[in-house]
Amino acid sequence: MLKEHSSFIKQAVALIDCFLLAIAFLLAYYCAALLKPLEPFLNYWMMFIGFLGFYLYFAWSRSLFSLLQFTWIRHLVSRVIMIFVSAGALGAAILFMVPDKFHSRTLYLYFFLFSGILILVEKILLRAVIVQIRRHNRNTTPIILFGRGRSASSIIKKLEAHPEWGIRIVRIVDIAVSVREFEEILRSIHVEEIFFCIPRSLTKTGFKIDQYLQICEEMGRSARVFLNILGSTSFARWQYSSFLDSPTLLSHTVELDPDQLIFKRMFDIALSLVGMGVLVAVFPVLAFAIKTTSPGPIFFKQVRVGKNGKRFQIYKFRSMGIDAEVRKKELMSQNELSGAVFKMKNDPRVTSIGKLMRKLSLDELPQFINVLKGEMSMVGTRPPTPDEVAKYEKWHHRRISVKPGITGMWQVSGRNRITDFDEIVRLDLKYIDSWSVWIDIKIVFKTVVVLLERDQAY
């Protein structure tokens, strides 16, 4: 098999990382002690163990110990930074729940910085060593490539362009080779795997891969089949999983990263709790203003369409008259957006206090309730109404393949200057296709800047 599952190597690297973290903690303690008095060294064991545990979890799940995995060196620096940010955030959250004498912000900050630097330097050095070893044709896996067509050519080009992956093609076998000839080839040369790259079009001509796979099975050779079904979609990602005791491939257009999704949910909960604090503080003033300036309830509730078509009730401070939905039909001819969204700058349905709330985005505050309930996220695509979804073109529906958000790419890209719904959807799809926790954080900060600059909403 390809040299990517060596548990011994993974465990050895994990032990080295543990040792480096211990060194970083020791250095951090002595540096922090120069600035302020600290408790005895062993009193901070919980800080070290807690951070170490979170680091090992995230590092293991994101393949930071898999040195022999041929794609290990891809995006190495960004992966290390993401792991440390995730572990550091969780570690900091735990520290605030233990007695003061068992934690020190100064010590923790030094520990975080020193450990990050040591681990990053270690990984970069290991990367350089692995690249040099494999470029000199050592620690490589000999394979046979069986197939033809664009799929096979693509695999060959990738392997030739990346010798550091450690995969060496010793022979290319065309599908015209008979089963008996294929067996003789396996007998005569040393290979650890056979890559099968069969074009989809050939499956209609009677070619069967079964006998070749059986030869590999009988001779104890590993076979890796490149499923050409992947080429049937343009941008959807494919993920292998076992389901109902059968191997399956799941096609999805949203990156399914469990670690980042957990972090995103924690991020949502943390910010929504802050938002709820603001909501409670301004509620008496806004409630009084809404009730005294127009008849009707304080809150506006409306059914919206969430992730994958799931409907939920959104909450807002009411900024329009109680007959807003009825009057909307009369105003459709004045819609300033082309497509399945209604937007009007001087909307006569908006109340006097509603204009102020919209200018400061105060009407959106109750949506933190939706975020806490898990119906929305802090960052995402804006949730449409069922009527709007009914007008969607087929490609528009992908914008509701993720959890909707209070803010998003459109809101920080000059939403009042965009008048084409298709452009809004393109921004939403750009967010979906490039999503990461970092993008969410960036959008939140940009949203704050937009609010401070009073980029008027309407």
Side-chain angles (χ1 to χ4, degrees), residues 129-334:
V129 171
I130 291 172
V131 169
Q132 288 302 313
I133 290 175
R134 286 179 169 172
R135 284 188 183 277
H136 287 83
N137 215 22
R138 295 181 179 179
N139 187 242
T140 59
T141 301
I143 64 107
I144 286 176
L145 191 140
F146 183 96
R148 67 164 67 155
R150 282 180 291 183
S151 176
S153 298
S154 175
I155 297 295
I156 294 170
K157 289 179 181 178
K158 286 180 181 179
L159 296 182
E160 289 177 346
H162 296 280
E164 70 273 12
W165 287 358
I167 304 175
R168 177 167 48 92
I169 300 176
V170 297
R171 183 158 180 175
I172 298 173
V173 179
D174 190 82
I175 61 173
V177 169
S178 67
V179 175
R180 184 177 295 276
E181 290 174 318
F182 179 69
E183 180 179 340
E184 289 301 318
I185 291 172
L186 292 189
R187 290 177 184 274
S188 61
I189 59 177
H190 165 244
V191 292
E192 294 191 18
E193 268 195 22
I194 296 86
F195 285 10
F196 287 91
C197 305
I198 312 300
R200 290 193 307 276
S201 58
L202 290 178
T203 59
K204 299 178 181 179
T205 64
F207 175 82
K208 291 185 178 181
I209 195 175
D210 301 38
Q211 292 175 299
Y212 298 92
L213 292 176
Q214 288 167 6
I215 293 295
C216 293
E217 179 184 39
E218 291 170 1
M219 297 183 67
R221 304 296 176 89
S222 299
R224 188 181 297 268
V225 181
F226 287 82
L227 299 177
N228 293 295
I229 190 175
L230 307 185
S232 62
T233 56
S234 301
F235 51 82
R237 302 172 182 88
W238 292 84
Q239 184 179 30
Y240 170 83
S241 63
S242 179
F243 188 72
L244 300 179
D245 296 327
S246 298
T248 66
L249 280 176
L250 173 66
S251 168
H252 58 85
T253 58
V254 181
E255 185 65 44
L256 301 178
D257 187 328
D259 294 336
Q260 290 203 29
L261 289 176
I262 291 173
F263 194 88
K264 181 178 175 68
R265 182 58 183 154
M266 292 174 58
F267 182 71
D268 286 343
I269 292 174
L271 290 188
S272 61
L273 288 174
V274 174
M276 288 296 292
V278 177
L279 172 62
V280 171
V282 302
F283 176 78
V285 176
L286 291 182
F288 177 79
I290 293 170
K291 293 296 288 185
T292 55
T293 55
S294 66
I298 296 171
F299 291 106
F300 170 73
K301 303 176 183 178
Q302 187 182 46
V303 174
R304 294 291 182 98
V305 179
K307 181 180 178 182
N308 292 327
K310 183 178 181 180
R311 299 190 179 190
F312 68 97
Q313 195 171 63
I314 198 172
Y315 304 102
K316 290 186 175 185
F317 280 123
R318 183 173 59 84
S319 61
M320 294 185 176
I322 56 176
D323 60 345
E325 289 302 307
V326 176
R327 296 180 63 187
K328 179 180 177 180
K329 297 178 182 179
E330 303 171 2
L331 299 170
M332 287 301 295
S333 61
Q334 301 180 52

Side-chain angles (χ1 to χ4, degrees), residues 67-81:
L67 299 186
L68 298 182
Q69 185 173 337
F70 63 89
T71 58
W72 179 79
I73 59 179
R74 278 186 172 182
H75 313 298
L76 179 60
V77 175
S78 62
R79 191 159 72 249
V80 170
I81 293 174

